[in-house]
Amino acid sequence: MTEEEKNRLLVETWKKAGPLLEEMKHQQLRSMTESESARIFDSLEVPVGSAYRSEERRQSLGFIEQQRFFKKLHGTHSS
């Protein structure tokens, strides 16, 4: 098999596998509980994690919490 044939096969394989992997990822995200997602978010090693600590989380709608997070994040970067 030539390099070109190998590359073509690789591209064709990813064309088939890519959408299937995306669907698997979306299914996993949809089935994740709030506590699982919070644990993953807290484990991220990015500066954003410090702006929204788990002890500050409230039992409310995610949209409201998201807006609070964005407000805190915006406040940390404004001068």
Side-chain angles (χ1 to χ4, degrees):
M1 185 180 281
T2 67
E3 271 310 299
E4 186 176 328
E5 290 171 329
K6 288 179 187 177
N7 289 337
R8 191 172 289 129
L9 180 60
L10 181 63
V11 168
E12 289 302 316
T13 300
W14 274 110
K15 281 183 181 179
K16 293 174 186 174
L20 295 172
L21 292 170
E22 276 296 308
E23 182 56 31
M24 288 174 60
K25 178 178 76 171
H26 290 293
Q27 286 177 358
Q28 288 175 336
L29 290 172
R30 282 190 297 266
S31 67
M32 188 180 298
T33 65
E34 186 175 336
S35 62
E36 289 170 329
S37 62
R39 181 182 47 76
I40 291 169
F41 183 83
D42 288 341
S43 72
L44 296 175
E45 294 187 18
V46 292
V48 176
S50 63
Y52 187 68
R53 302 203 186 286
S54 59
E55 62 268 11
E56 296 172 1
R57 248 185 229 103
R58 314 242 182 334
Q59 294 296 323
S60 65
L61 296 175
F63 179 75
I64 295 168
E65 293 301 316
Q66 180 187 43
Q67 295 306 306
R68 286 182 185 145
F69 169 72
F70 287 148
K71 185 176 180 181
K72 281 185 180 184
L73 184 64
H74 179 71
T76 61
H77 294 297
S78 60
S79 302

